[in-house]
Amino acid sequence: MVTRRTLYSWVMEKNVRWQLLLVLLVVLTVGIRVVPLELQKRIVNQAIGLGDMDLLVFYCLLFLASVLTASILKFCINLLQAYIGQRTLKRMRTSLYEHILSLPLSFFRNTQPGQVINSLINELASISGFIGSAVSVPLINVCTLLAMGGYLFYLNPLLAGLSFVIYPLQIVIVPRLQKRANEANRHRVNVSRAISGSIGEVITGVHEVHGHAGFGLENEKFSGQAGQLLKANVRMNAYRYSIKFANNFFEHLGPFILFLVGGSMTIRGLFDLGALVAFLSAYSSLSDPWREMMEFYQLKEDSQVRYRNVMMAFDQAPEHRLVPVDRDIYRFQGEIELQGVSFRTPEGARLIDDINLHVRPGEMVALVGYSGSGKSTLAKVVAQLMPYTEGQAQLDGHDIRGLTKLDVAENLGMVPQHPFIFSGTVRDNLLYASHSSTMNRVPGFTPPELDRVIEVVQQVGLFADILKFGSQAVISPAEKPELAERVLAMRRLFRERFEIGFQGDIEFFDPKRYLNFGSIAQNIVFGDFAERQARFENAFSNKRFLAFLDQTGLERILIDFGAVVATATIPILRYAAQTQELYADSPIAREDMDEYAQVMDEMATRSQAELKAASRSLLLRLALKFVPGRHKTVRMPKQLEERILLARKEFHEYLARSGPSTLQFYEADRYIESRSIRDNIFFGQPKPGRGGALERISQQLIQLLIEEGVLESIVELGLEFQAGSMGEYLSGGQRQKIALARVFLKQPAIYVLDEATSALDNVSQARVQNFLRTVRGRHTVISVVHRLDTVSHYDRIVVMKAGKIVESGPYDELMAAKGVLHDLVGTT
Amino acid sequence: MILSEQPETHECELDCNLRVLRDLPFFSGQPQELLRVMAYLCERETYAPGQAAFEAGQPAEGAVAVITGTMAIERGGRKVGTLSTGMCAGGLTLLGHYRWLYTLRAETAADCLLLHRRRILPQLVAQPASLAAVARELAESVVYWDLQRLERAADGDMYGPGLL
């Protein structure tokens, strides 16, 4: 197991040839470094002494070449050390990550993601420096020390002996200090891990922090932990600098002894002055390797502390093998047998108790009961996500505990109530299990075709969502000219058929009509930037646009209107609790509040004509951003609307006169590059606040897409929709539908659904239930159900109470018996 | 100047929302400033006849107040009540999580005000006195419902004790 390996075991593994190359380079470097010394002697004695100019130039060039070669070799050594360190770090991280993923789920319930991230990324990072130098540094420095030491003894054994007296002293003192530094470092690592965990926890649950305005609470907690980290860092650095101090001190103690003893010997005539100078010079060359050895020692100790701490944090054995060894993956019929199965928490609470249940292959079983009755625990035990503590649970006669993860993954599909969505596209998420099966080389597995994906997506009611994603995609007509052409054709058809019918649901673009769901700036421009990346807000600082507003007198009118909007909006925003929701439909962004508050204060003492230029600019910006259909604090004056419509015409003429522009006006026969496919078909935008409007429009839109033969293209675009981090761009229902489709695409023998349709609307829920009916007899279904109006068609209802099964049988029988199920149905 | 030339005779959406909220028993005793914040945070939704505002079993995420029109309260596909102008459904959703016990469907074209819990509750939580006033109003409603229940029980329509 990776967590039991020693740090040194990584040094040579798969690195032997690189480490040997490193040693070779080091030896070469040492050799090359001798050359300048020899050349110095020859330059003085031969070239200068003999007055030979040619020889001087020759030796100087050789000197330069040797220095350059030594420098290049040193560069190669550093590069190689870094490479060895980083490639080993990669292997270390990969092995540890693989191990972490295989740990039991209970481990993750007790571990914050931030702790894992900190360990894998930060704590292990500094170890790479040690790995890279683990062989070369001690080897070369010990060799150098021995050689130099021998040379000193050769010069003068007494002085050499005296100067070496300090080293044993250093060897005794420094490790003691290092031991304390290690302890301090261990403590720092633990504090650092705890703080990383806390940050991870707060970020994961940031919606709760916002919801309960817990900013102060969390800041206080963080401040406390940051204080602890500060103390731990200061303590550790104090020990580190103590070691540095000791090393420096001892390094300079050597010359002190040499001067004192050597000097007195020289005065007394026991040692000549030249020999003393030579000795001092040789002694000074000892200090570099010795210092490097000391630094290496510190690095080694520090790395070992970090390494041990990291490995100990994950030193648990996986509960199950990941893949079968010496056999193929099991293929189950879907039989489930539980005999006396219980699950006890470490504290002794029994979440399920003495469960006896036999589910035939292809049977559909609903698990129902009050909250906390053990339904989800039972489902998790069957899905191998919780290890049962007593009794025996089998899938097709095989003990669940003995199955590998791959056996379970290929035969059982579990959909939890709150499924996880990975960042990436909808397609990536739908095909997650398929990609996994392909990677695991599951025999006989073929990835599903697009038709199959579409079929399943329809079965779970996700098709309309995919179409919505696809139709909201922004495409470039240059890249997809055929699709853009079809979209324009659909625009004409859509207008012909639905312009009157959808008048209330869609705000159609009409040069003569004011857009209530567009900003004032959009209404003046009546177009968008052609570049997709360009933000419309750029218009607010566009010189030509501002010059136009100035020339037409609109600037003054809009500043006036901006002041009205600010006066009506800012007091509300100031009074309210500061939440994200407060600014969701606000013309003033949260980060701009301080600036606007200052403008308000200024407006209280000055007339609008006397306001600072920056304040006038802010008010103008506010007016330009104002959307009458969205910003409810002020009603748009009719006369201002009329003035803007007039300005729209004037602006087009002005822009045509004043040179080329990247603005693209809304024209009925031209594709709008910055807008979605849907908006291009509508040649308008849906009005918010129209209950069920999008569904009504979508039905007609789908019909049009089919007629024009672009349905598949739109589905493809929809499948490429980015779900966002943890599916943030998806609704709860969409997340559940993707999770259901992901499992249905896998077609395992057993489906375990843990309130898997709780967030779905009634229509989608009915679709899923219909799908489950179609697989009855071919796939076993165990479904934890909260809504009892959906269970009547199950083969069997298993009713749980306080961790035990209290009733089991067909729906009609149980209802006729007027037992617990009858009571449950009566109370919901 | 255009703005000064035009007298503001029409009320803005915020003022209209404020008027509706002021008439709701839950919010009747709230300070004007807080009511303005809540009016600012409400959303308008228009339902065509037959369109459901929400359906039984769906997670209840906010209250619905009818501004104009009539909504039918349906349970098991059967109409069991009506919500008309000035009435509100789901006041308890502002305080807790549950699933709708009935479907609310527009009988006529209906203009409604949606009070989302995620928007309104943090504002109430930030003002404990206001939250307490809402809780008091809710408690009175529950007492009233219980009384009605007990009175119906006396007529033999139901069994069991009241909630209180």
Side-chain angles (χ1 to χ4, degrees):
Chain A
M1 203 161 67
V2 65
T3 53
R4 303 283 165 88
R5 289 184 61 172
T6 63
L7 179 57
Y8 269 98
S9 70
W10 297 95
V11 172
M12 295 307 282
E13 191 199 66
K14 297 190 178 169
N15 282 334
V16 176
R17 60 194 176 121
W18 295 110
Q19 296 282 19
L20 284 176
L21 179 62
L22 190 59
V23 170
L24 182 70
L25 285 175
V26 170
V27 170
L28 276 176
T29 309
V30 171
I32 290 283
R33 276 182 180 167
V34 175
V35 176
L37 295 175
E38 178 61 21
L39 283 172
Q40 281 173 38
K41 195 179 82 188
R42 291 192 183 195
I43 285 169
V44 174
N45 292 346
Q46 295 177 14
I48 300 172
L50 299 174
D52 187 339
M53 195 63 194
D54 290 343
L55 199 60
L56 179 68
V57 172
F58 176 68
Y59 281 145
C60 284
L61 286 174
L62 266 186
F63 183 89
L64 186 67
S66 65
V67 169
L68 186 67
T69 311
S71 301
I72 291 171
L73 283 171
K74 182 69 184 164
F75 168 75
C76 293
I77 288 168
N78 288 342
L79 210 60
L80 199 52
Q81 280 180 338
Y83 176 67
I84 293 170
Q86 290 301 325
R87 73 195 295 268
T88 311
L89 183 63
K90 182 191 164 233
R91 272 190 297 115
M92 201 185 280
R93 278 181 177 150
T94 312
S95 306
L96 186 58
Y97 186 65
E98 192 182 339
H99 171 74
I100 291 170
L101 287 188
S102 72
L103 290 177
L105 293 182
S106 57
F107 171 83
F108 296 97
R109 281 192 278 272
N110 300 321
T111 308
Q112 291 298 335
Q115 293 178 335
V116 179
I117 296 163
N118 184 47
S119 299
L120 267 176
I121 304 300
N122 299 334
E123 295 300 333
L124 285 184
S126 60
I127 294 171
S128 70
F130 167 73
I131 301 278
S133 55
V135 173
S136 56
V137 171
L139 182 73
I140 194 62
N141 287 310
V142 166
C143 289
T144 311
L145 277 171
L146 287 176
M148 290 297 175
Y151 179 61
L152 287 180
F153 272 100
Y154 165 74
L155 282 178
N156 187 311
L158 176 66
L159 275 181
L162 281 170
S163 56
F164 274 89
V165 156
I166 54 164
Y167 290 121
L169 209 61
Q170 203 169 353
I171 287 169
V172 171
I173 292 172
V174 170
R176 282 169 189 245
L177 283 170
Q178 185 64 49
K179 203 174 162 191
R180 293 188 177 207
N182 288 351
E183 261 172 44
N185 193 16
R186 253 191 295 275
H187 178 61
R188 184 201 60 79
V189 170
N190 288 337
V191 174
S192 170
R193 192 179 295 151
I195 201 168
S196 304
S198 295
I199 294 169
E201 187 183 53
V202 170
I203 289 172
T204 312
V206 76
H207 50 285
E208 290 295 327
V209 178
H210 279 244
H212 300 290
F215 311 107
L217 195 67
E218 294 306 329
N219 282 337
E220 196 176 293
K221 265 197 245 170
F222 182 78
S223 175
Q225 285 181 314
Q228 283 179 18
L229 188 61
L230 170 78
K231 275 187 203 161
N233 272 323
V234 169
R235 193 161 162 256
M236 186 191 71
N237 282 317
Y239 282 116
R240 277 189 175 171
Y241 290 127
S242 303
I243 295 167
K244 205 162 241 184
F245 164 78
N247 284 336
N248 278 336
F249 177 71
F250 288 122
E251 197 181 318
H252 292 101
L253 205 60
F256 164 75
I257 295 170
L258 288 179
F259 276 125
L260 192 69
V261 179
S264 69
M265 284 172 74
T266 307
I267 290 167
R268 281 185 281 145
L270 296 172
F271 202 52
D272 67 80
L273 188 60
L276 179 63
V277 171
F279 196 93
L280 278 167
S281 173
Y283 179 81
S284 69
S285 61
L286 270 181
S287 65
D288 278 352
W290 181 254
R291 195 188 308 117
E292 275 191 38
M293 280 297 287
M294 284 292 135
E295 281 170 4
F296 174 74
Y297 169 70
Q298 265 188 287
L299 178 67
K300 187 203 84 167
E301 290 294 311
D302 184 62
S303 301
Q304 277 194 324
V305 168
R306 285 169 189 265
Y307 180 80
R308 277 196 212 116
N309 264 29
V310 168
M311 292 304 176
M312 271 168 65
F314 306 109
D315 192 24
Q316 272 191 45
E319 278 173 336
H320 308 278
R321 273 182 181 277
L322 298 186
V323 292
V325 180
D326 302 332
R327 66 166 172 83
D328 289 337
I329 299 162
Y330 289 131
R331 290 287 169 204
F332 293 157
Q333 297 297 311
E335 185 186 36
I336 301 165
E337 177 80 56
L338 306 179
Q339 288 176 347
V341 169
S342 300
F343 177 84
R344 235 180 339 176
T345 65
E347 294 77 29
R350 283 174 184 269
L351 300 188
I352 53 171
D353 189 13
D354 194 25
I355 299 289
N356 292 294
L357 177 68
H358 177 245
V359 181
R360 298 183 311 277
E363 195 179 3
M364 257 179 95
V365 175
L367 294 180
V368 303
Y370 294 100
S371 290
S373 57
K375 309 182 294 281
S376 290
T377 307
L378 182 53
K380 283 177 185 151
V381 164
V382 171
Q384 207 198 40
L385 297 176
M386 280 177 114
Y388 58 94
T389 48
E390 285 156 51
Q392 192 172 45
Q394 293 181 327
L395 299 182
D396 272 32
H398 299 276
D399 191 324
I400 290 174
R401 285 186 291 209
L403 296 173
T404 67
K405 283 284 173 195
L406 196 55
D407 289 323
V408 176
E410 291 301 317
N411 287 286
L412 185 146
M414 163 113 185
V415 184
Q417 188 181 0
H418 303 290
F420 189 83
I421 300 295
F422 296 93
S423 53
T425 63
V426 169
R427 187 198 298 265
D428 292 339
N429 273 287
L430 286 171
L431 297 179
Y432 185 81
S434 308
H435 291 328
S436 174
S437 297
T438 308
M439 184 155 277
N440 288 318
R441 296 193 182 87
V442 173
F445 174 79
T446 46
E449 301 280 333
L450 179 64
D451 286 350
R452 169 75 186 137
V453 174
I454 293 175
E455 186 190 354
V456 171
V457 152
Q458 283 174 327
Q459 282 161 349
V460 299
L462 188 65
F463 191 66
D465 300 281
I466 302 268
L467 278 183
K468 191 178 91 180
F469 299 146
S471 63
Q472 285 178 357
V474 177
I475 60 157
S476 158
E479 287 167 17
K480 296 183 188 292
E482 272 184 41
L483 183 57
E485 218 29 65
R486 294 277 171 88
V487 168
L488 286 177
M490 281 188 275
R491 179 188 291 180
R492 287 187 286 274
L493 275 175
F494 192 81
R495 272 288 170 109
E496 280 168 27
R497 293 184 193 172
F498 309 115
E499 185 168 11
I500 296 168
F502 286 140
Q503 202 68 256
D505 297 330
I506 297 173
E507 183 166 59
F508 290 106
F509 294 151
D510 182 340
K512 291 178 187 147
R513 215 183 288 166
Y514 193 86
L515 295 170
N516 270 312
F517 294 94
S519 66
I520 288 184
Q522 269 178 314
N523 269 286
I524 296 172
V525 171
F526 197 64
D528 274 326
F529 286 103
E531 298 101 349
R532 265 182 275 176
Q533 299 305 319
R535 295 186 62 200
F536 195 80
E537 285 74 18
N538 293 348
F540 303 161
S541 53
N542 183 290
K543 280 182 188 166
R544 283 162 77 188
F545 182 65
L546 294 177
F548 167 77
L549 295 181
D550 185 36
Q551 282 171 27
T552 51
L554 265 173
E555 186 191 68
R556 192 173 49 83
I557 296 168
L558 290 176
I559 290 174
D560 206 18
F561 185 62
V564 173
V565 177
T567 311
T569 312
I570 290 173
I572 294 172
L573 297 178
R574 269 177 161 176
Y575 179 83
Q578 300 298 296
T579 62
Q580 211 174 346
E581 297 287 350
L582 184 67
Y583 291 91
D585 282 324
S586 165
I588 299 172
R590 194 174 190 165
E591 58 271 21
D592 296 337
M593 261 304 279
D594 288 345
E595 281 184 314
Y596 277 102
Q598 280 174 12
V599 176
M600 283 286 286
D601 294 342
E602 204 185 332
M603 279 163 56
T605 54
R606 292 182 192 188
S607 73
Q608 279 167 31
E610 293 167 339
L611 292 176
K612 288 180 200 159
S615 304
R616 290 169 63 79
S617 170
L618 277 169
L619 291 176
L620 176 65
R621 176 181 287 257
L622 183 57
L624 288 170
K625 278 166 75 178
F626 182 79
V627 180
R630 194 170 153 223
H631 301 139
K632 49 185 86 112
T633 50
V634 175
R635 192 183 179 88
M636 179 86 176
K638 199 75 203 155
Q639 279 176 279
L640 181 58
E641 248 184 51
E642 284 163 7
R643 179 67 190 90
I644 300 291
L645 283 177
L646 188 65
R648 181 184 290 176
K649 198 164 166 283
E650 292 168 350
F651 183 65
H652 285 206
E653 289 162 6
Y654 170 83
L655 208 64
R657 282 199 311 272
S658 61
S661 162
T662 54
L663 273 172
Q664 187 197 347
F665 299 121
Y666 299 149
E667 291 170 65
D669 54 356
R670 198 168 162 204
Y671 195 92
I672 310 167
E673 291 197 32
S674 58
R675 292 270 175 165
S676 66
I677 291 174
R678 187 194 64 183
D679 288 357
N680 265 287
I681 295 173
F682 294 168
F683 193 55
Q685 51 205 8
K687 293 181 183 174
R690 308 285 302 181
L694 283 176
E695 286 75 23
R696 287 195 292 275
I697 301 167
S698 289
Q699 286 167 5
Q700 305 302 338
L701 195 60
I702 293 171
Q703 187 57 38
L704 266 182
L705 295 173
I706 295 168
E707 280 177 32
E708 285 298 308
V710 293
L711 191 72
E712 201 165 295
S713 304
I714 303 294
V715 170
E716 289 269 11
L717 286 169
L719 289 171
E720 295 309 314
F721 179 77
Q722 290 289 337
S725 170
M726 293 196 278
E728 63 175 327
Y729 302 139
L730 304 173
S731 69
Q734 286 166 342
R735 282 198 278 263
Q736 279 196 337
K737 287 178 202 171
I738 288 178
L740 283 162
R742 183 153 68 193
V743 164
F744 292 164
L745 273 169
K746 197 165 77 164
Q747 294 185 291
I750 302 165
Y751 292 118
V752 178
L753 312 179
D754 186 0
E755 297 199 34
T757 58
S758 59
L760 300 193
D761 56 60
N762 290 352
V763 176
S764 298
Q765 187 139 162
R767 271 177 193 273
V768 174
Q769 296 303 333
N770 281 341
F771 171 73
L772 291 177
R773 276 192 207 117
T774 64
V775 302
R776 189 201 299 252
R778 288 181 289 127
H779 297 265
T780 308
V781 178
I782 289 196
S783 185
V784 176
V785 184
H786 189 77
R787 287 182 58 179
L788 298 179
D789 55 335
T790 62
V791 297
S792 57
H793 62 277
Y794 278 75
D795 294 324
R796 190 152 43 120
I797 315 295
V798 172
V799 186
M800 295 189 69
K801 192 175 179 184
K804 288 177 179 279
I805 293 176
V806 289
E807 276 178 14
S808 176
Y811 181 80
D812 291 339
E813 272 181 29
L814 294 184
M815 287 301 282
K818 297 205 168 176
V820 183
L821 179 67
H822 184 266
D823 286 352
L824 276 168
V825 172
T827 54
T828 53
Chain B
M1 189 183 292
I2 283 185
L3 296 175
S4 50
E5 281 165 8
Q6 182 188 311
E8 287 294 330
T9 49
H10 305 290
E11 68 176 357
C12 64
E13 191 183 318
L14 181 97
D15 290 336
C16 172
N17 293 354
L18 190 62
R19 196 161 34 78
V20 175
L21 289 183
R22 227 184 266 131
D23 291 341
L24 293 178
F26 286 167
F27 302 124
S28 56
Q30 299 295 344
Q32 177 74 3
E33 292 87 347
L34 183 63
L35 275 181
R36 283 187 78 78
V37 172
M38 289 199 275
Y40 180 77
L41 288 168
C42 288
E43 269 178 31
R44 288 281 191 89
E45 194 86 17
T46 305
Y47 298 98
Q51 189 73 43
F54 53 77
E55 296 201 20
Q58 283 179 343
E61 283 160 0
V64 180
V66 182
I67 302 171
T68 57
T70 315
M71 310 282 283
I73 298 170
E74 296 173 359
R75 194 160 154 82
R78 203 164 55 86
K79 181 179 169 184
V80 294
T82 306
L83 209 67
S84 53
T85 303
M87 293 169 86
C88 179
L92 276 172
T93 60
L94 296 178
L95 298 182
H97 295 250
Y98 59 91
R99 286 174 186 276
W100 289 112
L101 303 176
Y102 52 87
T103 297
L104 189 68
R105 199 182 299 284
E107 279 188 322
T108 63
D111 201 10
C112 295
L113 199 61
L114 307 186
L115 292 89
H116 297 289
R117 178 178 54 238
R118 66 173 198 280
R119 292 181 154 214
I120 303 291
L121 186 58
Q123 300 299 331
L124 288 171
V125 169
Q127 311 247 356
S130 298
L131 188 61
V134 171
R136 249 194 326 273
E137 195 57 50
L138 279 173
E140 280 175 27
S141 299
V142 173
V143 171
Y144 175 69
W145 296 333
D146 219 25
L147 182 65
Q148 283 189 317
R149 214 174 107 87
L150 290 167
E151 281 176 355
R152 279 207 305 277
D155 297 337
D157 285 351
M158 57 175 294
Y159 57 89
L163 285 169
L164 304 172

